[in-house]
Amino acid sequence: MSVTIKSNREIELMREAGKILFQVHDELAKAIKPGISTKDIDRLGEELIRSYGCTPSFLNYNGYPASICVSVNDEVVHGIPNKKHIIREGDIVSLDAGVIYKGYHSDAARTHAVGEISPEAQRLIDATRESFFEGIKYAKPGNHLYDISRAIQRYVEANGFSVVRDLVGHGIGTNLHEDPQIPNFKQVGRGIRLVPGMTLAIEPMVNAGAYDVWWLEDDWTVVTQDGSLSAHYENTVLITDGEPELLSLPTFKHNISNVEI
């Protein structure tokens, strides 16, 4: 395993990439409404990314054919946008996006409610987001990577949901996916020790039913095996000398107390 420690210059570039991605997600959130197609969302996302002088991280990455992963309801991740797939009232829509700014990536995901959704769907979205913040309580120097993993799983399962096992978070920098892999569930041991300068894409993927998933025939779209809803929440996180910095959520003001695990 080769985990890169970013220099101050690299951190500044990734900080800018994160700010831009935050703006992209903010604009996309405003655009999601009944009647829009998933392809419309992708088209707008690519236009926004390029308007900031960036390149979409996902477009043509290992053959992925779009700039924004748009996953609806039981689609966990990597949904391929399609002009025939129309968003409807009551859907939940996960958007996963990345930008490349001067050679450096930022990666983030959000799940949105379309109009009025079921209380259970809202609870799933909220628990997925909160599990991320439970995890990053441990994203401090001296703690270990799998402390984050264990905290995420613990919160998700305490709320009656399940954590996807087949997909994990990752390091990020000049490459979209770098070491280390970051599971969202408990591992044997504690993993590598966290040090300042690490940049991590931490991304709980949470199902309302069982954690089992499968891939559709397009070889990209991952869905829940039991047809239950799924939600996704992700930010690019910088390990600092103290509290973690969320590069793709620059408006976040944290107040994370010291915790033991």
Side-chain angles (χ1 to χ4, degrees):
M1 182 185 297
S2 177
V3 179
T4 62
I5 305 301
K6 308 306 188 295
S7 67
N8 288 337
R9 173 186 171 275
E10 290 177 307
I11 289 168
E12 281 303 315
L13 292 172
M14 292 190 69
R15 189 174 281 132
E16 186 62 26
K19 289 177 181 177
I20 291 168
L21 183 54
F22 171 79
Q23 294 296 334
V24 170
H25 268 295
D26 191 52
E27 291 299 318
L28 288 176
K30 298 173 186 175
I32 296 176
K33 58 186 177 182
I36 192 173
S37 74
T38 57
K39 183 63 176 177
D40 292 333
I41 296 170
D42 176 60
R43 186 180 299 112
L44 174 60
E46 181 172 351
E47 289 173 357
L48 288 166
I49 291 169
R50 295 193 186 281
S51 76
Y52 286 104
C54 295
T55 303
S57 295
F58 298 170
L59 185 60
N60 299 319
Y61 181 79
N62 290 338
Y64 185 75
S67 298
I68 311 293
C69 296
V70 187
S71 306
V72 183
N73 294 332
D74 66 333
E75 296 173 348
V76 181
V77 287
H78 304 160
I80 297 176
N82 187 312
K83 64 182 180 181
K84 295 181 179 179
H85 194 163
I86 306 301
I87 302 300
R88 295 178 171 82
E89 177 88 12
D91 285 342
I92 66 171
V93 181
S94 297
L95 304 182
D96 191 359
V99 306
I100 308 171
Y101 175 76
K102 296 186 178 179
Y104 286 82
H105 292 263
S106 186
D107 191 3
R110 309 281 186 262
T111 299
H112 302 281
V114 182
E116 186 173 345
I117 63 173
S118 70
E120 183 73 353
Q122 187 62 58
R123 203 169 69 83
L124 173 67
I125 292 172
D126 294 343
T128 303
R129 181 181 186 277
E130 288 308 309
S131 73
F132 168 87
F133 288 100
E134 286 297 310
I136 66 164
K137 288 180 179 179
Y138 300 89
K140 300 177 183 179
N143 287 342
H144 292 256
L145 185 67
Y146 296 157
D147 297 342
I148 298 171
S149 307
R150 180 161 52 171
I152 290 171
Q153 180 183 13
R154 185 167 55 196
Y155 185 86
V156 168
E157 293 182 352
N159 281 274
F161 301 120
S162 63
V163 176
V164 172
R165 303 293 203 274
D166 293 68
L167 301 148
V168 297
H170 51 93
I172 185 170
T174 54
N175 294 300
L176 177 59
H177 293 104
E178 299 182 352
D179 287 334
Q181 290 193 345
I182 310 169
N184 299 300
F185 49 95
K186 184 179 177 180
Q187 302 290 296
V188 175
R190 296 184 70 188
I192 62 172
R193 186 178 295 273
L194 301 175
V195 300
M198 288 181 174
T199 45
L200 310 173
I202 298 171
E203 51 176 325
M205 290 154 275
V206 178
N207 295 347
Y211 62 71
D212 307 278
V213 300
W214 56 29
W215 274 252
L216 298 185
E217 290 183 359
D218 62 23
D219 290 330
W220 280 106
T221 309
V222 181
V223 300
T224 59
Q225 282 195 22
D226 59 12
S228 63
L229 295 177
S230 188
H232 186 195
Y233 189 83
E234 175 186 22
N235 282 301
T236 300
V237 178
L238 170 67
I239 305 300
T240 73
D241 289 326
E243 303 292 353
E245 180 179 347
L246 306 189
L247 301 181
S248 54
L249 193 62
T251 61
F252 175 67
K253 303 299 182 184
H254 52 63
N255 183 21
I256 302 174
S257 60
N258 290 325
V259 290
E260 300 294 334
I261 191 167

